[in-house]
Amino acid sequence: ELAALPLKGDADLLALDDALDQLSRMDERQGKIVEMKFFGGLSAPEISQVLGISRATVDRDWATARVWLHRQMSRTAEL
């Protein structure tokens, strides 16, 4: 679902890592959700169970984090 991010190479992966670090500092739960979903391949119900939060919270945080990361990655791509 993050496939829409403008990732074109190793430098972009580093930028994604930096953006994810920033996100995690701003909202630790959103950072964990992105890591579990994007890198761990967990589904929203699985993340909900692991974190002990509702599925709606996972979906809401995922949507927010995805938009934030997309904006950050787009800004990085412009530089």
Side-chain angles (χ1 to χ4, degrees):
E1 293 183 45
L2 288 176
L5 291 177
L7 298 176
K8 297 180 184 118
D10 290 343
D12 290 336
L13 290 176
L14 291 174
L16 174 59
D17 185 53
D18 288 342
L20 185 53
D21 284 344
Q22 289 176 28
L23 175 64
S24 294
R25 284 192 300 272
M26 291 184 336
D27 190 311
E28 184 178 355
R29 187 177 67 208
Q30 284 184 14
K32 286 181 181 179
I33 289 170
V34 171
E35 289 174 359
M36 288 182 198
K37 191 166 187 75
F38 189 66
F39 298 110
L42 274 67
S43 67
E46 292 169 326
I47 295 168
S48 171
Q49 185 175 15
V50 169
L51 295 180
I53 58 177
S54 72
R55 165 78 190 268
T57 299
V58 172
D59 291 342
R60 194 171 35 254
D61 281 358
W62 168 247
T64 302
R66 192 175 66 216
V67 168
W68 189 89
L69 286 170
H70 190 275
R71 285 182 184 160
Q72 289 301 111
M73 295 302 299
S74 294
R75 287 181 186 141
T76 300
E78 291 172 2
L79 298 177

